[in-house]
């Protein structure tokens, strides 16, 4: 009930006013039956924009941190995400991927729409990153089509770290459903899962026109954080070294000449 209230009365009208979304290909989203909507992930606003424009209820897998915040604010945030059709998934540990797959299959087995971001996290620079194979595993196990979706302009509307979005028009573009029935029964083969995932990411890329990076977004983020950390650690050391050299050079220039006691 609260989901419908958010969609049609509270959040939906507000999002339409702020972003004036241009919707393309909505006819590709089936009116009934289980299916996966797989999209790129550019902004925090993506969680709510897509559900606001799709006629059917869609459930997203969301990181557990949205549901575990402390205090009253944390409880309100958790309640809001659950009401908006989000399911918490713990992304840490070895079982994280399997937990996400179990939750997703539970949604699909009820004949519902499942929303997923194959990149596994938001893009920090607007590029499209390599997809994780969980989306392929769910599509093959549940034997459902995958509808590729591209969010365009949401990165500029609400870049990472910006709490309040900008008033900016965005585009939400859906592609034709992808049928992977030829791979049914092969959901335990790594090569098949990789091939299916790559086909999904290629379809998203064709809709979004983003630059593609053949690495996981989380890996690139970690590498950049490490480089920044290394630069920060070396900065003070470099400054101290240059200061020591400067002092040493000055001392040498002003050292007294022992022959006549005068400084040269």
């Amino acid at each position: 009930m609260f989901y419908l209230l958010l969609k049609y009365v509270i959040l939906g009208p507000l999002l339409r006013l702020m972003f004036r979304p241009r919707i393309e290909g909505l006819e590709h989203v089936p009116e009934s039956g289980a299916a996966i909507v797989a999209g790129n992930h550019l902004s925090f606003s993506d969680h709510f924009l897509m559900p606001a424009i799709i006629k059917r209820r869609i459930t997203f897998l969301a990181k557990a941190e949205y549901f575990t915040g402390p205090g009253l604010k944390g409880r309100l945030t958790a309640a809001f995400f659950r009401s908006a059709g989000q399911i918490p998934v713990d992304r840490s540990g070895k079982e994280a991927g399997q937990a996400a797959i179990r939750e997703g299959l539970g949604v699909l087995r009820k004949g519902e729409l499942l929303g997923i971001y194959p990149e596994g996290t938001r893009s920090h620079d607007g590029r499209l990153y390599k997809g994780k194979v969980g989306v392929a595993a769910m599509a093959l196990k549940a034997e459902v089509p995958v509808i590729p979706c591209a969010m365009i302009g949401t990165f500029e509307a609400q870049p990472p770290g910006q709490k309040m979005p900008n008033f900016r028009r965005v585009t939400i573009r859906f592609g034709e459903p992808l049928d992977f029935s030829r791979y049914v029964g092969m959901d335990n083969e790594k090569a098949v899962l990789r091939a299916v995932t790559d086909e999904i990411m290629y379809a998203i890329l064709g809709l979004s026109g983003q630059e593609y990076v053949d690495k996981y977004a989380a890996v690139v983020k970690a590498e950049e954080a490490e480089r920044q950390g290394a630069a920060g650690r070396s900065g003070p050391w470099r400054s101290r070294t240059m200061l020591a050299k400067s002092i040493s050079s000055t001392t040498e220039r002003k050292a007294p000449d022992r022959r006549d006691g005068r400084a040269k």
Side-chain angles (χ1 to χ4, degrees):
M1 178 63 184
F2 191 64
Y3 178 89
L4 296 177
L5 187 65
L6 279 175
K7 182 181 179 73
Y8 294 109
V9 180
I10 302 174
L11 195 58
L14 178 61
L15 292 174
R16 290 179 179 274
L17 175 65
M18 293 182 66
F19 298 111
R20 295 172 294 130
R22 180 186 295 109
I23 315 302
E24 300 177 7
L26 189 59
E27 68 275 9
H28 296 310
V29 180
E31 295 182 359
S32 62
I36 296 173
V37 179
N40 56 341
H41 195 11
L42 296 171
S43 168
F44 181 77
S45 301
D46 296 342
H47 288 290
F48 310 107
L49 266 171
M50 194 191 299
I53 60 96
I54 290 181
K55 296 177 181 179
R56 296 177 59 188
R57 179 181 179 122
I58 182 169
T59 300
F60 275 89
L61 302 180
K63 62 181 182 180
E65 290 87 337
Y66 289 143
F67 300 81
T68 57
L72 178 61
K73 180 181 178 181
R75 291 194 295 272
L76 289 174
T77 301
F80 176 80
F81 270 87
R82 288 193 177 92
S83 299
Q86 313 284 318
I87 295 179
V89 174
D90 185 358
R91 301 185 300 174
S92 62
K94 296 181 180 180
E95 296 298 320
Q98 292 303 314
I101 290 173
R102 285 194 299 270
E103 293 287 354
L105 288 175
V107 173
L108 295 170
R109 284 168 182 156
K110 291 187 291 185
E112 299 177 358
L113 276 182
L114 175 69
I116 189 171
Y117 302 114
E119 294 167 276
T121 186
R122 272 178 283 170
S123 174
H124 61 292
D125 56 11
R127 297 186 293 177
L128 183 69
Y129 285 87
K130 185 176 182 178
K132 295 186 176 183
V133 299
V135 62
M138 286 185 278
L140 299 188
K141 287 179 182 293
E143 300 182 27
V144 298
V146 178
I147 296 91
C149 173
M151 310 295 289
I152 302 170
T154 57
F155 183 84
E156 293 77 12
Q158 190 177 17
Q162 181 172 311
K163 293 184 178 181
M164 293 299 296
N166 305 314
F167 280 73
R168 178 188 175 93
R169 189 166 197 183
V170 303
T171 297
I172 305 175
R173 183 177 294 150
F174 297 92
E176 295 183 4
L178 303 174
D179 177 17
F180 298 108
S181 58
R182 63 191 182 279
Y183 294 121
V184 169
M186 304 171 70
D187 52 273
N188 289 320
E189 297 187 22
K190 292 183 178 180
V192 170
L193 293 177
R194 184 74 263 160
V196 170
T197 304
D198 288 345
E199 185 173 338
I200 293 170
M201 299 309 295
Y202 183 78
I204 296 172
L205 179 65
L207 295 171
S208 70
Q210 294 168 266
E211 178 185 347
Y212 180 75
V213 181
D214 194 27
K215 296 177 73 173
Y216 294 119
V219 172
V220 175
K221 287 182 181 180
E223 291 174 347
E224 293 185 1
E226 177 61 27
R227 284 196 295 269
Q228 292 173 0
R233 290 192 297 270
S234 64
W237 178 85
R238 186 178 296 111
S239 298
R240 290 195 298 269
T241 302
M242 294 178 65
L243 179 60
K245 288 181 178 179
S246 176
I247 293 173
S248 175
S249 176
T250 302
T251 303
E252 290 174 0
R253 288 196 300 272
K254 294 182 178 180
D257 188 330
R258 294 183 181 276
R259 289 174 298 179
D260 57 13
R262 293 178 297 175
K264 300 294 184 181

